[in-house]
Amino acid sequence: MSRTAQELTPSWLLTALGLVATAGIAAACWTAGHVHADASLLTVARFFHVAFLVVGLGSVLAVDWLAVLWLTGKRPLTAVLDTAVALQTPIWTGLGGLVVSGLFLRPDLHSPLTLVKLGLVVAVTLNGLWAHRLGQLLEAHRSDSVPRGLLVRSGLAATISQTGWWGACLIGFLNSQG
């Protein structure tokens, strides 16, 4: 049995949140071009950037690891779903904190690598909203088997998430070396 339309977050709301988040990231990029952090603020921003990375990516890894354990029969789906719900706040806090702290890190917005990183951040953000919907759909299958299509879409969302978080992390590391 699938969830009724009333129980799902409305598509219009997820779309609006995606537009607002994308506009917020664009505004952060514009602002970053006008912020000139001194050495001490740059140091503080670097610390918070790493801290928010630990919070956000660490939470994403916890959810995805439990999903792997579920797929291998070592944990029930309920453990994955309960963990995903519990870690939504740290995931979104980490992502938002990375965007805000990144304002002060002097990003080179003319660098193709930086633009790829920003694309990955937008992709992770929009994918997170899609994953929220998928989680709601999975809730209807807590005690029975998950339809193959939903399983495939969930795996795709996890792949996009991991690729985006790790890709942005790698680009951030490479940019910090130069």
Side-chain angles (χ1 to χ4, degrees), residues 21-178:
T22 302
I25 292 167
C29 292
W30 181 86
T31 303
H34 295 82
V35 171
H36 304 290
D38 63 13
S40 59
L41 181 55
L42 186 60
T43 299
V44 169
R46 282 186 184 135
F47 170 80
F48 278 104
H49 206 67
V50 171
F52 284 120
L53 177 64
V54 169
V55 169
L57 180 56
S59 298
V60 167
L61 287 170
V63 172
D64 288 350
W65 177 247
L66 278 175
V68 168
L69 293 175
W70 166 63
L71 288 170
T72 59
K74 295 179 180 163
R75 293 287 187 278
L77 178 58
T78 56
V80 179
L81 295 174
D82 292 345
T83 301
V85 168
L87 293 179
Q88 276 194 34
T89 298
I91 290 169
W92 289 109
T93 300
L95 185 58
L98 284 164
V99 171
V100 172
S101 61
L103 291 173
F104 304 100
L105 298 180
R106 302 179 186 151
D108 179 2
L109 298 176
H110 295 59
S111 163
L113 205 54
T114 299
L115 296 178
V116 169
K117 178 180 179 179
L118 292 170
L120 291 172
V121 171
V122 170
V124 163
T125 302
L126 298 177
N127 185 66
L129 295 169
W130 184 43
H132 173 77
R133 168 57 60 84
L134 293 172
Q136 290 179 323
L137 295 171
L138 285 167
E139 281 287 340
H141 302 284
R142 277 183 168 261
S143 58
D144 59 345
S145 64
V146 176
R148 185 181 247 350
L150 183 54
L151 190 59
V152 169
R153 287 182 288 160
S154 298
L156 180 60
T159 301
I160 291 168
S161 177
Q162 289 296 317
T163 301
W165 278 93
W166 285 107
C169 188
L170 175 63
I171 291 170
F173 171 76
L174 293 173
N175 282 344
S176 73
Q177 301 304 300

